[in-house]
Amino acid sequence: MAKIIRNISLLVLFVSLSSMAVHKFYTSIYQINYVSQKKMIQITSRIFIDDLNEAIGKRYKTKCNIGTEKEIPQDEAAMQKYLAEKFILKVNGVSKPMSFRSKEIEANVLICYFRITDIPKITKFEIENSALIESFPEQQNIIQANITGEKQSLLLTAENFKGMLK
């Protein structure tokens, strides 16, 4: 999986540095860490702001301005609702809702922080991530996880938007 991520990174770098016609890439990154001492899963998502606004707008048939100077409280609520519907984590076979903590902007990327509490032990960890796929069929959601002290990765796409970590 690391090889896939490396190849994707090299391809993005090549295209961005070349003088050929630019093709936009649709990629988001999700970092998931299990902190056993706190019995908590910490999630960080990195999503392009314009893509997220477009997907939320299409999904709920409204204009969304998350991460811009025009943002209103309803935009953040729509973002939380959208991600709760599109990014689902099952721990030990049970769907666990994420608690939104905060967000920040870095260039044109929205970084969101979530957590899931009261997780004493993980024996099975399933991920479903179809965020942005309905608006951008070529969307790739990269999952980087550290659940059992070992780093693991998943590449989720329109054809394969579910995965399991051990």
Side-chain angles (χ1 to χ4, degrees):
M1 185 54 69
K3 191 175 183 179
I4 292 172
I5 294 171
R6 184 191 64 166
N7 289 341
I8 291 171
S9 298
L10 289 174
L11 183 62
V12 169
L13 180 64
F14 172 77
V15 171
S16 66
L17 295 176
S18 72
S19 61
M20 298 169 19
V22 178
H23 176 268
K24 185 168 180 179
F25 286 88
Y26 298 98
T27 305
S28 298
I29 300 173
Y30 299 77
Q31 178 67 45
I32 302 171
N33 295 312
Y34 175 58
V35 184
S36 59
Q37 303 88 331
K38 295 183 179 182
K39 300 178 182 177
M40 177 189 330
I41 297 171
Q42 299 171 332
I43 302 127
T44 304
S45 68
R46 288 177 170 78
I47 305 172
F48 286 107
I49 293 170
D50 57 339
D51 296 345
L52 182 60
N53 281 323
E54 186 173 330
I56 292 170
K58 284 182 181 178
R59 175 87 176 166
Y60 303 120
K61 312 245 186 295
T62 184
K63 177 82 171 142
C64 187
N65 294 300
I66 194 78
T68 71
E69 61 280 347
K70 296 179 184 178
E71 180 180 323
I72 59 175
Q74 291 83 352
D75 294 331
E76 186 173 298
M79 181 232 14
Q80 289 180 41
K81 180 180 177 184
Y82 179 81
L83 290 176
E85 291 173 0
K86 298 294 182 177
F87 184 65
I88 300 165
L89 299 177
K90 289 185 180 179
V91 179
N92 305 328
V94 178
S95 184
K96 297 289 185 175
M98 298 183 301
S99 170
F100 176 75
R101 307 307 299 160
S102 64
K103 69 181 186 324
E104 60 184 288
I105 299 166
E106 188 174 283
N108 60 344
V109 174
L110 182 70
I111 304 170
C112 296
Y113 302 95
F114 301 90
R115 72 178 180 190
I116 301 171
T117 57
D118 197 28
I119 308 292
K121 185 178 178 182
I122 298 177
T123 56
K124 186 177 176 184
F125 195 81
E126 301 168 77
I127 300 168
E128 180 178 322
N129 189 345
S130 59
L132 306 182
I133 290 175
E134 64 195 19
S135 295
F136 309 103
E138 50 287 324
Q139 173 70 27
Q140 297 179 331
N141 292 318
I142 299 170
I143 310 295
Q144 299 172 328
N146 187 343
I147 302 299
T148 59
E150 180 182 320
K151 293 182 180 181
Q152 301 177 59
S153 298
L154 289 172
L155 178 62
L156 303 177
T157 64
E159 295 81 30
N160 182 27
F161 59 90
K162 294 181 183 182
M164 185 178 304
L165 298 173
K166 298 179 183 202

